mmCIF file of all heavy atoms in Angstrom:
data_model
loop_
_atom_site.group_PDB
_atom_site.id
_atom_site.type_symbol
_atom_site.label_atom_id
_atom_site.label_comp_id
_atom_site.label_asym_id
_atom_site.label_seq_id
_atom_site.Cartn_x
_atom_site.Cartn_y
_atom_site.Cartn_z
ATOM 1 N N GLY W 11 14.090 -21.058 35.854
ATOM 2 C CA GLY W 11 14.324 -22.265 35.056
ATOM 3 C C GLY W 11 14.674 -21.855 33.647
ATOM 4 O O GLY W 11 14.965 -20.689 33.376
ATOM 5 N N ASP W 12 14.641 -22.793 32.724
ATOM 6 C CA ASP W 12 14.998 -22.489 31.343
ATOM 7 C C ASP W 12 13.817 -22.571 30.394
ATOM 8 O O ASP W 12 13.972 -22.551 29.177
ATOM 9 C CB ASP W 12 16.118 -23.437 30.883
ATOM 10 C CG ASP W 12 17.402 -23.196 31.657
ATOM 11 O OD1 ASP W 12 17.776 -22.019 31.813
ATOM 12 O OD2 ASP W 12 18.005 -24.167 32.143
ATOM 13 N N ARG W 13 12.613 -22.637 30.951
ATOM 14 C CA ARG W 13 11.393 -22.606 30.176
ATOM 15 C C ARG W 13 10.784 -21.205 30.270
ATOM 16 O O ARG W 13 10.749 -20.617 31.352
ATOM 17 C CB ARG W 13 10.401 -23.651 30.699
ATOM 18 C CG ARG W 13 9.108 -23.733 29.903
ATOM 19 C CD ARG W 13 8.208 -24.842 30.426
ATOM 20 N NE ARG W 13 6.997 -24.933 29.625
ATOM 21 C CZ ARG W 13 6.894 -25.583 28.475
ATOM 22 N NH1 ARG W 13 7.957 -26.233 28.010
ATOM 23 N NH2 ARG W 13 5.762 -25.621 27.796
ATOM 24 N N LEU W 14 10.332 -20.657 29.128
ATOM 25 C CA LEU W 14 9.718 -19.338 29.139
ATOM 26 C C LEU W 14 8.211 -19.455 29.339
ATOM 27 O O LEU W 14 7.527 -20.163 28.610
ATOM 28 C CB LEU W 14 10.001 -18.592 27.831
ATOM 29 C CG LEU W 14 11.457 -18.236 27.522
ATOM 30 C CD1 LEU W 14 11.521 -17.249 26.366
ATOM 31 C CD2 LEU W 14 12.178 -17.680 28.733
ATOM 32 N N HIS W 15 7.703 -18.715 30.324
ATOM 33 C CA HIS W 15 6.275 -18.677 30.601
ATOM 34 C C HIS W 15 5.649 -17.429 29.983
ATOM 35 O O HIS W 15 4.452 -17.421 29.683
ATOM 36 C CB HIS W 15 6.037 -18.709 32.109
ATOM 37 C CG HIS W 15 6.594 -19.938 32.752
ATOM 38 N ND1 HIS W 15 5.863 -21.085 32.939
ATOM 39 C CD2 HIS W 15 7.853 -20.197 33.231
ATOM 40 C CE1 HIS W 15 6.623 -22.003 33.515
ATOM 41 N NE2 HIS W 15 7.831 -21.490 33.706
ATOM 42 N N THR W 16 6.454 -16.383 29.834
ATOM 43 C CA THR W 16 6.025 -15.154 29.177
ATOM 44 C C THR W 16 7.165 -14.707 28.270
ATOM 45 O O THR W 16 8.275 -15.245 28.312
ATOM 46 C CB THR W 16 5.727 -14.039 30.197
ATOM 47 O OG1 THR W 16 6.954 -13.692 30.870
ATOM 48 C CG2 THR W 16 4.693 -14.471 31.209
ATOM 49 N N LEU W 17 6.893 -13.684 27.467
ATOM 50 C CA LEU W 17 7.925 -13.132 26.584
ATOM 51 C C LEU W 17 7.892 -11.608 26.722
ATOM 52 O O LEU W 17 7.208 -10.924 25.965
ATOM 53 C CB LEU W 17 7.669 -13.553 25.138
ATOM 54 C CG LEU W 17 8.726 -13.114 24.119
ATOM 55 C CD1 LEU W 17 10.083 -13.736 24.435
ATOM 56 C CD2 LEU W 17 8.281 -13.473 22.698
ATOM 57 N N PRO W 18 8.636 -11.066 27.682
ATOM 58 C CA PRO W 18 8.584 -9.618 27.889
ATOM 59 C C PRO W 18 8.954 -8.792 26.654
ATOM 60 O O PRO W 18 8.317 -7.790 26.368
ATOM 61 C CB PRO W 18 9.596 -9.407 29.026
ATOM 62 C CG PRO W 18 9.565 -10.700 29.784
ATOM 63 C CD PRO W 18 9.412 -11.757 28.725
ATOM 64 N N LEU W 19 10.001 -9.222 25.921
ATOM 65 C CA LEU W 19 10.487 -8.430 24.787
ATOM 66 C C LEU W 19 10.525 -9.283 23.525
ATOM 67 O O LEU W 19 11.140 -10.352 23.496
ATOM 68 C CB LEU W 19 11.888 -7.879 25.077
ATOM 69 C CG LEU W 19 12.623 -7.219 23.910
ATOM 70 C CD1 LEU W 19 11.851 -5.993 23.406
ATOM 71 C CD2 LEU W 19 14.044 -6.833 24.317
ATOM 72 N N LEU W 20 9.893 -8.773 22.468
ATOM 73 C CA LEU W 20 9.870 -9.431 21.172
ATOM 74 C C LEU W 20 10.558 -8.515 20.168
ATOM 75 O O LEU W 20 10.149 -7.366 19.974
ATOM 76 C CB LEU W 20 8.421 -9.693 20.751
ATOM 77 C CG LEU W 20 8.164 -10.264 19.355
ATOM 78 C CD1 LEU W 20 8.806 -11.640 19.197
ATOM 79 C CD2 LEU W 20 6.662 -10.329 19.084
ATOM 80 N N VAL W 21 11.627 -9.017 19.533
ATOM 81 C CA VAL W 21 12.369 -8.254 18.523
ATOM 82 C C VAL W 21 12.040 -8.835 17.156
ATOM 83 O O VAL W 21 12.202 -10.037 16.933
ATOM 84 C CB VAL W 21 13.884 -8.323 18.772
ATOM 85 C CG1 VAL W 21 14.635 -7.499 17.716
ATOM 86 C CG2 VAL W 21 14.228 -7.824 20.175
ATOM 87 N N LEU W 22 11.590 -7.991 16.239
ATOM 88 C CA LEU W 22 11.172 -8.461 14.917
ATOM 89 C C LEU W 22 12.056 -7.857 13.830
ATOM 90 O O LEU W 22 12.178 -6.627 13.729
ATOM 91 C CB LEU W 22 9.715 -8.073 14.635
ATOM 92 C CG LEU W 22 8.656 -8.555 15.626
ATOM 93 C CD1 LEU W 22 7.270 -8.132 15.148
ATOM 94 C CD2 LEU W 22 8.727 -10.064 15.785
ATOM 95 N N TYR W 23 12.663 -8.727 13.016
ATOM 96 C CA TYR W 23 13.335 -8.279 11.804
ATOM 97 C C TYR W 23 12.278 -8.223 10.701
ATOM 98 O O TYR W 23 12.004 -9.217 10.044
ATOM 99 C CB TYR W 23 14.431 -9.262 11.398
ATOM 100 C CG TYR W 23 15.704 -9.210 12.202
ATOM 101 C CD1 TYR W 23 16.750 -10.089 11.916
ATOM 102 C CD2 TYR W 23 15.888 -8.301 13.233
ATOM 103 C CE1 TYR W 23 17.932 -10.059 12.630
ATOM 104 C CE2 TYR W 23 17.064 -8.263 13.955
ATOM 105 C CZ TYR W 23 18.090 -9.147 13.650
ATOM 106 O OH TYR W 23 19.259 -9.114 14.362
ATOM 107 N N LEU W 24 11.670 -7.060 10.501
ATOM 108 C CA LEU W 24 10.591 -6.960 9.526
ATOM 109 C C LEU W 24 11.077 -7.168 8.099
ATOM 110 O O LEU W 24 10.327 -7.634 7.238
ATOM 111 C CB LEU W 24 9.913 -5.596 9.635
ATOM 112 C CG LEU W 24 9.107 -5.323 10.897
ATOM 113 C CD1 LEU W 24 8.380 -3.983 10.777
ATOM 114 C CD2 LEU W 24 8.115 -6.437 11.183
ATOM 115 N N THR W 25 12.315 -6.802 7.832
ATOM 116 C CA THR W 25 12.892 -6.964 6.498
ATOM 117 C C THR W 25 14.393 -7.093 6.637
ATOM 118 O O THR W 25 14.974 -6.602 7.610
ATOM 119 C CB THR W 25 12.549 -5.760 5.601
ATOM 120 O OG1 THR W 25 13.157 -5.927 4.315
ATOM 121 C CG2 THR W 25 13.022 -4.452 6.211
ATOM 122 N N ASP W 26 15.017 -7.754 5.675
ATOM 123 C CA ASP W 26 16.481 -7.737 5.654
ATOM 124 C C ASP W 26 16.995 -6.844 4.528
ATOM 125 O O ASP W 26 18.175 -6.872 4.192
ATOM 126 C CB ASP W 26 17.084 -9.147 5.590
ATOM 127 C CG ASP W 26 16.509 -9.989 4.476
ATOM 128 O OD1 ASP W 26 15.888 -9.427 3.566
ATOM 129 O OD2 ASP W 26 16.685 -11.223 4.529
ATOM 130 N N GLY W 27 16.100 -6.032 3.955
ATOM 131 C CA GLY W 27 16.538 -4.979 3.059
ATOM 132 C C GLY W 27 17.036 -3.790 3.864
ATOM 133 O O GLY W 27 16.597 -3.552 4.985
ATOM 134 N N CYS W 28 17.983 -3.053 3.308
ATOM 135 C CA CYS W 28 18.520 -1.896 4.025
ATOM 136 C C CYS W 28 19.023 -0.860 3.029
ATOM 137 O O CYS W 28 19.598 -1.203 1.993
ATOM 138 C CB CYS W 28 19.647 -2.307 4.971
ATOM 139 S SG CYS W 28 20.129 -0.973 6.112
ATOM 140 N N ASN W 29 18.811 0.410 3.361
ATOM 141 C CA ASN W 29 19.271 1.501 2.508
ATOM 142 C C ASN W 29 20.547 2.151 3.019
ATOM 143 O O ASN W 29 20.936 3.225 2.562
ATOM 144 C CB ASN W 29 18.169 2.553 2.329
ATOM 145 C CG ASN W 29 17.551 2.991 3.651
ATOM 146 O OD1 ASN W 29 17.905 2.485 4.714
ATOM 147 N ND2 ASN W 29 16.609 3.919 3.578
ATOM 148 N N SER W 30 21.224 1.506 3.991
ATOM 149 C CA SER W 30 22.578 1.883 4.385
ATOM 150 C C SER W 30 23.554 0.843 3.836
ATOM 151 O O SER W 30 23.153 -0.236 3.395
ATOM 152 C CB SER W 30 22.708 1.964 5.912
ATOM 153 O OG SER W 30 22.001 3.067 6.427
#
Side-chain angles (χ1 to χ4, degrees):
D12 295 314
R13 183 177 182 83
L14 296 192
H15 300 268
T16 65
L17 184 62
L19 171 62
L20 174 62
V21 181
L22 303 183
Y23 284 179
L24 291 186
T25 178
D26 52 17
C28 191
N29 50 358
S30 290

